[in-house]
């Protein structure tokens, strides 16, 4: 992606965005939506947001916000489902009819929005942001995995288009029977996430001097993130470099157990904005062991901060990390190789580490959220022009997993 920005799309007067997650929640979906909303509004499109009520969201923080009842998922308090009857959405959209509807999540709120939009014959685009099709096995629901995959396929095939963040995933979903899959990449705020944010004071608070490698993870502390692999790699690194540190930024259902088992790790909780940027830039290596990503925005944030990334070879890492240049890429079926890559990268000679850090930053400097948001607007405008209502409610053929 270059710095060249697309021209504004054909004018869209009003767009409704429906999502079960949004700021101030800290996750890739919420971050992506915030940038897409800002981009549409910059192009003078009115954006209505239909999201669950969140107690941490200040009143008046967002304009044109329509909160619905939000219920936390048991065992995963930071994730909320939105509950609203389709009829209420129909009433809203009859009185304030949008040109298009974007449904970012496939939960109860997304289900209601899809049905309301279908009844009103509104052009609808959906986003495949989260690998719910892989989550079941991490929460003792493996037997339901096939049913979840079939539901997701039917859900997305009832919309005019389905947006995914990278080409490999688009190809995989198409093979499963998803129709009209289109790729919409991701950007990164290269002004906020920058090597200049590095903080000696922060590192001193971790007990790390310039010689001690600081390893960083940013994301949910949850089973699907494969964090045990990162901890195992850290223990190997510690054996050679006892002064090494592992910093975990984020929260989630595994935090309490991880803290109990590994009290020497640094648990920073959720960090945002400039504070988060300091954490990235003050680390030496970004460990990302997850195998359940649709993309992984944190990968771009680490690279923009000049921090090499150790990741499995898929999603954002496959596209933006150059092996042995700005980090390490490892085959998805090779956890042992991932640990070896992390250990070797943590012990690089200073001059090699500096080359990797410069390459990490250089590889993403041209990425732009403005470009992504502008392309999003073009996709919505194309969906409006091509909308004929035939995708919803028809026979859907989805392959078994």
């Amino acid at each position: 992606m270059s710095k060249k920005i697309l021209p504004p799309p054909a004018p869209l007067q009003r767009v409704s965005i429906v999502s079960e997650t949004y700021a101030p929640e800290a996750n890739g979906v919420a971050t992506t939506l915030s940038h897409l909303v800002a981009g549409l509004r910059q192009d003078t499109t009115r954006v209505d947001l239909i999201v669950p009520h969140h107690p941490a969201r200040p009143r008046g923080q967002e304009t044109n916000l329509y909160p619905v009842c939000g219920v936390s998922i048991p065992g995963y308090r930071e994730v909320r489902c939105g509950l609203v009857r389709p009829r209420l959405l129909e009433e809203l959209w009859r009185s304030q009819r949008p040109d298009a509807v974007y449904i970012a999540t496939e939960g109860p709120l997304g289900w209601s929005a899809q049905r309301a939009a279908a009844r009103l014959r509104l052009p609808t685009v959906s986003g495949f942001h989260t690998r719910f099709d892989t989550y079941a096995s991490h929460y003792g629901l493996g037997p339901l995995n096939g049913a979840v995959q079939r539901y997701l396929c039917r859900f997305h095939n009832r919309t005019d288009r389905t947006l995914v963040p990278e080409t490999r995933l688009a190809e995989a979903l198409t093979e499963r029977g998803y129709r009209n899959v289109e790729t919409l990449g991701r950007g990164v705020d290269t002004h906020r996430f920058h090597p200049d944010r590095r903080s000696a004071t922060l590192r001193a608070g971790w007990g790390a001097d310039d010689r001690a490698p600081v390893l960083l993870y940013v994301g949910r502390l949850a089973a699907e993130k494969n964090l045990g692999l990162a901890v195992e790699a850290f223990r190997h690194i510690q054996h050679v470099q006892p002064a090494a540190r592992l910093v975990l930024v984020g929260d989630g259902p595994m935090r309490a157990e991880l803290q109990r088992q590994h009290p020497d790790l640094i648990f920073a909780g959720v960090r945002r904005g400039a504070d988060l940027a300091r954490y990235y830039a003050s680390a030496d290596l970004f460990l990302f062991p997850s195998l359940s990503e649709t993309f992984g925005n944190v990968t771009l944030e680490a690279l923009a901060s000049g921090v090499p990334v150790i990741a499995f070879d898929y999603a954002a890492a496959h596209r933006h990390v150059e092996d042995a240049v700005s980090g390490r890429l490892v085959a998805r079926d090779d956890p042992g190789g991932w640990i070896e890559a992390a250990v070797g990268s943590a012990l690089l000679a200073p001059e090699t580490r500096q080359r990797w850090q410069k390459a990490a930053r250089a590889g993403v400097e041209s990425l732009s959220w403005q470009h992504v948001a502008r392309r999003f607007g073009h996709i919505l405008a194309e969906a409006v022009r091509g909308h004929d209502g035939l995708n919803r409610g028809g026979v859907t053929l989805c392959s078994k997993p």
Side-chain angles (χ1 to χ4, degrees):
M1 188 184 299
S2 69
K3 287 185 181 245
K4 183 179 179 181
I5 306 300
L6 292 169
L12 291 173
Q13 299 299 316
R14 191 182 210 120
V15 170
S16 278
I17 292 183
V18 182
S19 176
E20 248 113 351
T21 182
Y22 195 69
E25 294 171 55
N27 57 62
V29 182
T31 297
T32 298
L33 290 179
S34 294
H35 286 288
L36 296 181
V37 168
L40 288 176
R41 287 174 173 168
Q42 187 174 337
D43 286 332
T44 70
T45 297
R46 171 167 175 151
V47 180
D48 297 329
L49 287 165
I50 301 171
V51 297
H53 168 73
H54 196 288
R57 185 180 296 119
R59 289 182 177 272
Q61 182 187 51
E62 280 284 350
T63 57
N64 305 329
L65 180 71
Y66 297 88
V68 302
C69 177
V71 179
S72 296
I73 296 176
Y76 216 146
R77 293 180 303 167
E78 63 270 31
V79 178
R80 302 171 70 83
C81 285
L83 301 176
V84 64
R85 294 193 299 275
R87 180 179 58 80
L88 296 179
L89 293 178
E90 287 182 53
E91 291 176 1
L92 170 65
W93 288 336
R94 281 197 180 99
S95 64
Q96 302 178 36
R97 187 178 179 91
D99 296 314
V101 174
Y102 179 67
I103 304 175
T105 54
E106 305 96 338
L109 178 57
W111 182 91
S112 294
Q114 183 193 87
R115 275 144 187 77
R119 290 171 187 164
L120 297 176
R121 301 183 69 81
L122 291 170
T124 308
V125 176
S126 58
F128 195 97
H129 287 272
T130 305
R131 296 302 303 264
F132 290 119
D133 57 327
T134 67
Y135 278 22
S137 59
H138 293 289
Y139 293 93
L141 301 173
L144 297 179
N145 188 57
V148 171
Q149 291 203 34
R150 288 189 291 273
Y151 164 76
L152 291 173
C153 186
R154 288 194 298 271
F155 181 97
H156 288 283
N157 279 355
R158 289 186 176 123
T159 64
D160 292 290
R161 299 184 185 196
T162 296
L163 303 186
V164 300
E166 58 96 24
T167 304
R168 279 185 170 184
L169 180 58
E171 293 170 350
L173 293 184
T174 299
E175 289 177 0
R176 290 188 196 172
Y178 286 66
R179 297 195 298 265
N180 303 321
V181 181
E182 192 160 347
T183 302
L184 177 69
R186 298 290 184 265
V188 64
D189 186 340
T190 54
H191 298 287
R192 169 171 289 172
F193 299 105
H194 195 284
D196 288 349
R197 309 288 185 236
R198 191 174 179 90
S199 168
T201 302
L202 188 57
R203 288 178 63 89
W206 298 335
D209 59 26
D210 284 339
R211 294 169 296 176
V214 173
L215 317 175
L216 178 70
Y217 165 84
V218 178
R220 291 193 302 277
L221 305 184
E224 69 273 9
K225 297 299 184 178
N226 200 23
L227 291 173
L229 196 65
V231 175
E232 186 177 353
F234 173 63
R235 295 306 181 201
H236 284 277
I237 294 165
Q238 255 189 331
H239 184 71
V240 183
Q241 281 271 20
R245 298 289 184 267
L246 176 57
V247 180
L248 303 175
V249 174
D251 207 346
M254 283 187 65
R255 178 171 176 171
E257 183 63 16
L258 283 170
Q259 284 185 293
R260 186 187 68 79
Q261 293 180 352
H262 307 283
D264 60 318
L265 305 187
I266 298 167
F267 292 85
V270 175
R271 301 284 165 168
R272 306 177 192 278
D275 190 26
L276 175 60
R278 288 171 59 241
Y279 272 75
Y280 273 115
S282 300
D284 300 302
L285 199 65
F286 188 72
L287 300 185
F288 200 53
S290 175
L291 286 164
S292 62
E293 303 302 308
T294 54
F295 189 73
N297 291 11
V298 292
T299 301
L300 299 187
E301 293 169 356
L303 293 171
S305 303
V307 182
V309 173
I310 311 302
F312 287 105
D313 188 10
Y314 79 113
H318 172 75
R319 184 172 179 183
H320 295 288
V321 175
E322 189 174 355
D323 189 42
V325 174
S326 58
R328 290 300 311 277
L329 295 174
V330 182
R332 298 184 64 170
D333 59 354
D334 188 9
W338 192 93
I339 291 174
E340 289 179 10
V343 174
S345 301
L347 304 178
L348 287 173
E351 58 273 16
T352 303
R353 180 181 296 175
Q354 290 174 6
R355 287 201 302 271
W356 284 29
Q357 291 169 341
K358 291 179 180 178
R361 171 71 185 181
V364 299
E365 275 187 310
S366 64
L367 298 186
S368 162
W369 272 117
Q370 185 183 2
H371 178 100
V372 175
R374 190 60 67 75
R375 175 162 159 71
F376 178 61
H378 278 271
I379 291 171
L380 294 178
E382 290 166 4
V384 171
R385 289 195 296 270
H387 177 70
D388 58 14
L390 294 179
N391 277 344
R392 286 166 302 286
V395 176
T396 301
L397 298 177
C398 299
S399 63
K400 294 181 179 180

